[in-house]
Amino acid sequence: MPLICVCSPKGGVGKTTLAANLTYALARAGSKVLALDFDVQNALRLHFGVPLSDERGYVAKATDSYDWSQYVLGAGGNMFVLPYGEVTEQQRVDFEDRLANDEHFLARGLGTLLNYPGLVIIADFPPGPSAALKAMTPLADIHLVTLMADTASMSLLPHVENNRLTGEALNHKHGHFFVVNQSDSRRQISRDVTAFMEERLGEQLLGIIHRDESVIEANASQKSIFEFSPSSAAAFDIEIIAKKVAAKLGVKVGDGTVHNMPRMSGL
């Protein structure tokens, strides 16, 4: 059960879009993939065609339920999504309190999914430090830190390097890696920041995603970049990143065959 965490010290960097498109990329290659949302914005589901009016999710019931798999939604083919859901402020506070103070809370809730054979989980987190990101550290196989090719992201790089996201090493298994998003060769500052990231991060820089307007259009259509514009630069870049992640985790890339998960309660 590989568990991939997508995080960032900064909001608005395309973190959720990356998590969603990595889900599509690995599913296209034949893996069973679950997209898991830890962000109260509850936006990850929208990338998988879940209607805006659908308020289902696991967080509202998480403190009373020991098995969050019952809230998993099918997203077509090999893909599944576990939405954060619409919650009250008290439900959010209670959830984060349990994450911070009960070391077994996360493992219990995700137990069925963590032990599901062959399932790849891609978890999306809110920007900056969070109780969920810290609680996930013992379980995660790899962290992907998303940054933009701009000076704001560059200035926050020390937050990651100095362990300010969780107060400790971000990953204890395969390590943490970086993805630079929206690198724009037409803009000097973007080229300069991209070059700086390449030199500073070295092998920790897993990939660069070039600025591509089709990503915005794909998001607006609730489609993956692979469905909307499979020959685009962004689709190529994300495909390469997905292959590198799979190689680091030893995920066997299939032949595109669709594998359905047995029906869980709530589906």
Side-chain angles (χ1 to χ4, degrees):
M1 184 293 310
L3 175 55
I4 303 162
C5 296
V6 182
C7 59
S8 179
K10 184 179 181 298
V13 297
K15 170 181 55 60
T16 298
T17 298
L18 174 61
N21 280 301
L22 281 177
T23 299
Y24 277 95
L26 292 174
R28 276 162 40 92
S31 295
K32 296 186 290 288
V33 192
L34 170 72
L36 168 59
D37 197 353
F38 280 106
D39 194 332
V40 70
Q41 294 184 65
N42 195 27
L44 185 59
R45 65 193 168 117
L46 302 178
H47 292 267
F48 299 95
V50 178
L52 189 62
S53 59
D54 191 335
E55 298 183 349
R56 288 178 294 175
Y58 70 99
V59 171
K61 302 290 186 181
T63 56
D64 300 319
S65 172
Y66 289 110
D67 184 4
W68 301 345
S69 68
Q70 61 188 302
Y71 306 110
V72 170
L73 305 178
N78 297 344
M79 297 183 300
F80 306 85
V81 59
L82 185 53
Y84 190 98
E86 293 298 317
V87 299
T88 66
E89 177 62 10
Q90 189 59 55
Q91 287 170 332
R92 181 193 67 79
V93 169
D94 290 345
F95 178 66
E96 293 184 1
D97 180 69
R98 290 292 295 276
L99 283 171
N101 298 302
D102 182 348
E103 63 178 322
H104 303 297
F105 178 63
L106 197 59
R108 281 197 306 265
L110 295 175
T112 298
L113 297 169
L114 292 173
N115 290 292
Y116 192 91
L119 180 66
V120 178
I121 299 177
I122 298 179
D124 181 39
F125 294 85
S130 69
L133 185 60
K134 185 175 180 62
M136 187 63 87
T137 298
L139 303 175
D141 291 284
I142 193 171
H143 281 73
L144 299 182
V145 183
T146 311
L147 299 171
M148 289 271 275
D150 60 19
T151 54
S153 284
M154 186 174 68
S155 69
L156 290 174
L157 188 56
H159 284 241
V160 183
E161 296 175 329
N162 297 328
N163 300 328
R164 295 180 192 169
L165 284 179
T166 61
E168 60 180 309
L170 198 53
N171 188 277
H172 300 301
K173 296 181 183 177
H174 293 275
H176 70 275
F177 298 86
F178 294 84
V179 173
V180 172
N181 192 25
Q182 294 197 27
S183 178
D184 190 345
S185 60
R186 298 168 299 180
R187 299 177 61 233
Q188 183 65 47
I189 187 64
S190 184
R191 294 199 302 270
D192 289 345
V193 170
T194 300
F196 171 83
M197 295 287 195
E198 289 178 310
E199 182 177 353
R200 174 76 166 262
L201 299 174
E203 293 184 357
Q204 275 194 290
L205 180 58
L206 202 64
I208 298 169
I209 302 173
H210 292 87
R211 182 174 176 81
D212 190 333
E213 294 301 323
S214 62
V215 174
I216 298 173
E217 296 173 10
N219 290 348
S221 303
Q222 288 191 299
K223 293 182 178 179
S224 74
I225 189 62
F226 305 105
E227 294 172 303
F228 188 84
S229 184
S231 60
S232 64
F236 177 81
D237 294 337
I238 295 170
E239 187 88 45
I240 293 297
I241 292 169
K243 289 180 178 178
K244 288 182 178 179
V245 170
K248 288 184 179 299
L249 295 179
V251 174
K252 184 177 181 181
V253 176
D255 56 4
T257 303
V258 172
H259 303 285
N260 292 318
M261 291 173 65
R263 188 176 180 86
M264 296 182 182
S265 56
L267 290 185

